[in-house]
Amino acid sequence: LVSKKSSFNTALKYNLGRVISYTLLGGIIGALGSVFSISMKMQGFIQLFAALFMVIAGLNMFGIKLFKNINLSIPFMKKNCGKSNKNPFVVGLLNGFMPCGPLQTMQLYALSSGNFIMGASSMFVFSLGTVPVMMFFAYFSSRISNSFSEKLFKYSGILIVILGILIMKPALNFS
């Protein structure tokens, strides 16, 4: 089992990277929103795509390999990150680019703000709101056995499928 201090430091670095990434991306996306706007139909399509991705990812986690030949890993990640102390921070920074329904919904909100400050602010608040839950899961996962962790990972796929379906329903109303 990982020490409490090490587990906390890793989670803190990861979450710091996430907050920075979400905030900067929110600002950039918000600024892009002043250049062009996305129709409700296009927003629905983006949300539907994110929801479908979540359902497929959840089913894959559960063990039903729908698209087993598609590898969605980040190519340069293994080579450049390694096992250095900065790894959790870098992973947190890259987390802003993750295909995740709730995250992409917030990015659409930032886009609709049409300005850098509002986009950055909305994503900053969103990221801060997720930090306590993420810190709890980091602490909890460092305290459980590997076999229980594997089972938890597998069955969390069901939760991701449910979230994907919940995101899909409103997205279908736009399209």
Side-chain angles (χ1 to χ4, degrees):
L1 294 177
V2 180
S3 77
K4 287 181 184 181
K5 185 177 180 183
S6 173
S7 173
F8 179 79
N9 286 338
T10 299
L12 194 61
K13 289 174 187 175
Y14 169 75
N15 280 289
L16 179 62
R18 272 187 345 100
V19 169
I20 290 169
S21 173
Y22 286 21
T23 304
L24 289 175
L25 282 171
I28 292 167
I29 292 168
L32 284 174
S34 67
V35 176
F36 64 94
S37 63
I38 293 182
S39 70
M40 293 297 275
K41 190 171 187 167
M42 183 56 121
Q43 285 181 14
F45 176 74
I46 293 169
Q47 288 177 348
L48 185 60
F49 178 76
L52 287 172
F53 181 84
M54 287 177 71
V55 168
I56 291 167
L59 290 172
N60 284 344
M61 286 172 64
F62 188 69
I64 300 169
K65 302 294 182 192
L66 291 177
F67 297 100
K68 60 184 170 192
N69 294 331
I70 297 176
N71 184 4
L72 297 173
S73 66
I74 300 168
F76 60 87
M77 189 70 168
K78 290 179 188 166
K79 187 185 347 174
N80 292 340
C81 294
K83 292 190 178 219
S84 73
N85 252 352
K86 296 177 186 175
N87 190 25
F89 179 74
V90 172
V91 171
L93 284 174
L94 294 172
N95 194 269
F97 300 99
M98 180 178 72
C100 165
L103 175 60
Q104 289 177 332
T105 301
M106 285 304 299
Q107 290 171 341
L108 285 172
Y109 178 80
L111 182 71
S112 70
S113 74
N115 106 19
F116 183 89
I117 299 296
M118 287 300 296
S121 298
S122 63
M123 291 298 291
F124 177 72
V125 170
F126 172 71
S127 65
L128 281 184
T130 62
V131 167
V133 172
M134 299 295 281
M135 293 293 285
F136 169 77
F137 280 118
Y139 175 79
F140 178 73
S141 67
S142 70
R143 301 286 168 257
I144 59 177
S145 70
N146 283 342
S147 66
F148 185 72
S149 178
E150 288 171 12
K151 287 177 187 172
L152 188 63
F153 178 78
K154 178 180 179 177
Y155 290 104
S156 65
I158 294 170
L159 178 61
I160 292 173
V161 169
I162 292 168
L163 288 172
I165 291 169
L166 290 173
I167 291 170
M168 196 179 296
K169 186 174 180 337
L172 289 172
N173 291 337
F174 290 125
S175 47

